[in-house]
Amino acid sequence: MKTIQTPRLCIDGRVARQFGPRGLVAQEVIDQLVSGYGEGKASSEWIEKKRTVLLTHPSQVFSGQLKRFDTQKKVASSILYWLWEKGFTKNANITRFHRFRSIDNLNPSLSIETITTLLPSRSGLPFFISRKSNQEYVVPSLQDGKILERQYHVSNDQIHVFRPGTRRYVQFVEPLKKTDFGNILFLVTDKRSGKDLKKLRKVFSKVFVNVPHKVIRLKDSTNVSPALWMKILQNTQVCIYLGAQPFDWATLPLEALYWNIPTLFSDQNSTLNELLPQSPLRLSQFLVEQPELKELQNFSKKAKESLEAKGVFLPFNLAEQYTHLYRQMGNPSGPAEPETGCCN
């Protein structure tokens, strides 16, 4: 007699530890899914029926008490790692897999249904990614979806464009108290985005005379925890986000806008350009018109209102979208599992 396998979803959250700013979306998705228990559209049967397990590093902390499989194994783009991942999904009886991966760190596809949330690369776009029918990809912009379609020939029905968001902590802390004397904050995501930094700083020194500059080169080791990030923003008059890579979820600049900080962004950032089309906060427009701080603050206020209307700042923004996608994969059947499961 053929054994019927119990549906079980695994969410791989390890990049939240390894990837610093790039891993923010992984941490936030998991925390929102757990916190969304019983919260309407954010509530997932996979969580409620205890049929979700987290693949994690032992040092990681997530909301709630989901089952965990802790491992020291790091995500890697190698055959040996792929064999390890294949063995894990088989031995843990995983039927569906949700992973967060940089576009240049993808392994050959697994045999089970897999959702991959794509993150910015560290070394450029790869030559090939899987387009097998059991592979689904989540991206933060339509332009990113076009890259998958045109460059990698992934079918449109395997691509899901999700609305980015901020971390939920912004809903539960005191409003940001800004200091009287702030910095011009430059956020540099990679070498390419920072190549014009010297020229940009000269322009900003002329527009905002005697305002000091602070440059943060966002690396995988950069600490952008809520407390530290809010402290940085508290001392920021204007934020310039130089990220222009594909698959950028733009969490940090969206949070700066949430806190009413004028945030200028690269014209090549497809995520922010699609959320704020033709915005006067585009860096190219600033360089031409060079508006004063008061005008930038007005632009920022209107941008925040637009983002609010689009649901970017909703506390379960990401959870609702992933819950809907999980439902498309099918719901777990039968009663909830007992507390002693496969991966406690």
Side-chain angles (χ1 to χ4, degrees):
M1 181 180 292
K2 185 178 180 180
T3 303
I4 299 175
Q5 188 174 13
T6 301
R8 183 171 288 115
L9 167 69
C10 176
I11 305 177
D12 185 352
R14 287 172 295 164
V15 298
R17 177 179 182 271
Q18 288 179 256
F19 287 175
R22 285 187 298 152
L24 289 178
V25 66
Q27 178 84 38
E28 188 61 22
V29 167
I30 294 170
D31 286 344
Q32 284 191 25
L33 285 168
V34 174
S35 301
Y37 189 103
E39 293 287 339
K41 294 180 180 179
S43 185
S44 171
E45 285 191 49
W46 291 98
I47 305 291
E48 293 172 357
K49 291 183 178 292
K50 298 182 173 66
R51 290 194 176 150
T52 299
V53 59
L54 297 183
L55 182 55
T56 55
H57 186 275
S59 66
Q60 288 182 280
V61 178
F62 293 95
S63 298
Q65 299 296 321
L66 288 181
K67 297 174 185 178
R68 293 172 59 135
F69 182 92
D70 286 339
T71 177
Q72 299 277 355
K73 195 78 173 178
K74 293 183 178 180
V75 176
S77 55
S78 68
I79 293 298
L80 287 177
Y81 175 78
W82 174 74
L83 290 172
W84 178 90
E85 193 172 75
K86 184 179 179 181
F88 162 75
T89 57
K90 180 179 179 180
N91 296 331
N93 296 317
I94 302 303
T95 56
R96 293 164 177 85
F97 193 40
H98 178 193
R99 59 187 184 173
F100 298 81
R101 296 287 188 272
S102 57
I103 183 68
D104 60 335
N105 201 22
L106 297 176
N107 289 290
S109 59
L110 300 169
S111 59
I112 60 176
E113 289 184 74
T114 303
I115 296 171
T116 303
T117 298
L118 291 174
L119 309 174
S121 74
R122 295 168 295 180
S123 57
L125 296 178
F127 176 74
F128 169 84
I129 68 172
S130 175
R131 54 178 184 269
K132 289 184 178 180
S133 59
N134 66 336
Q135 305 298 302
E136 310 270 333
Y137 296 98
V138 178
V139 298
S141 77
L142 292 170
Q143 183 60 38
D144 295 330
K146 290 178 181 178
I147 291 175
L148 297 185
E149 278 191 88
R150 296 172 181 175
Q151 191 160 333
Y152 300 106
H153 308 291
V154 176
S155 173
N156 179 263
D157 59 10
Q158 294 173 247
I159 302 168
H160 308 274
V161 180
F162 277 14
R163 178 180 61 246
T166 55
R167 288 173 282 182
R168 286 182 73 236
Y169 82 90
V170 300
Q171 311 286 337
F172 305 107
V173 297
E174 293 293 325
L176 190 70
K177 296 178 181 178
K178 300 193 60 181
T179 58
D180 293 332
F181 303 98
N183 302 308
I184 305 295
L185 174 64
F186 293 87
L187 296 177
V188 182
T189 61
D190 62 335
K191 290 182 179 179
R192 183 178 178 183
S193 68
K195 66 180 181 179
D196 295 325
L197 181 61
K198 187 175 181 180
K199 295 179 181 177
L200 286 173
R201 292 186 67 178
K202 286 184 178 180
V203 173
F204 279 89
S205 293
K206 293 178 180 178
V207 178
F208 302 103
V209 180
N210 297 326
V211 178
H213 295 177
K214 182 179 181 66
V215 177
I216 298 180
R217 299 182 184 276
L218 296 172
K219 302 177 181 178
D220 290 344
S221 59
T222 305
N223 183 355
V224 285
S225 59
L228 184 59
W229 178 234
M230 286 189 68
K231 187 174 181 181
I232 292 171
L233 293 182
Q234 186 177 354
N235 296 292
T236 298
Q237 282 195 37
V238 179
C239 177
I240 297 92
Y241 185 68
L242 297 179
Q245 293 173 287
F247 312 105
D248 181 5
W249 289 81
T251 305
L252 297 179
L254 289 174
E255 289 183 355
L257 286 166
Y258 177 88
W259 294 116
N260 296 307
I261 295 172
T263 302
L264 304 171
F265 55 87
S266 168
D267 293 52
Q268 283 70 52
N269 189 293
S270 56
T271 299
L272 293 172
N273 271 286
E274 288 179 19
L275 286 173
L276 298 168
Q278 304 302 314
S279 172
L281 293 174
R282 288 175 301 158
L283 192 55
S284 62
Q285 190 160 336
F286 171 85
L287 293 175
V288 172
E289 300 181 1
Q290 299 186 9
E292 295 181 352
L293 180 60
K294 186 68 175 177
E295 195 170 2
L296 280 179
Q297 290 170 341
N298 289 333
F299 295 156
S300 181
K301 181 180 178 181
K302 291 179 180 178
K304 181 180 179 181
E305 291 172 352
S306 176
L307 293 171
E308 284 179 331
K310 293 175 180 178
V312 169
F313 301 138
L314 292 175
F316 293 108
N317 169 31
L318 293 169
E320 289 184 5
Q321 295 175 93
Y322 279 100
T323 293
H324 179 71
L325 181 55
Y326 293 163
R327 288 186 184 130
Q328 291 180 354
M329 295 167 58
N331 288 329
S333 58
E337 287 193 343
E339 292 298 328
T340 54
C342 70
C343 303
N344 278 327

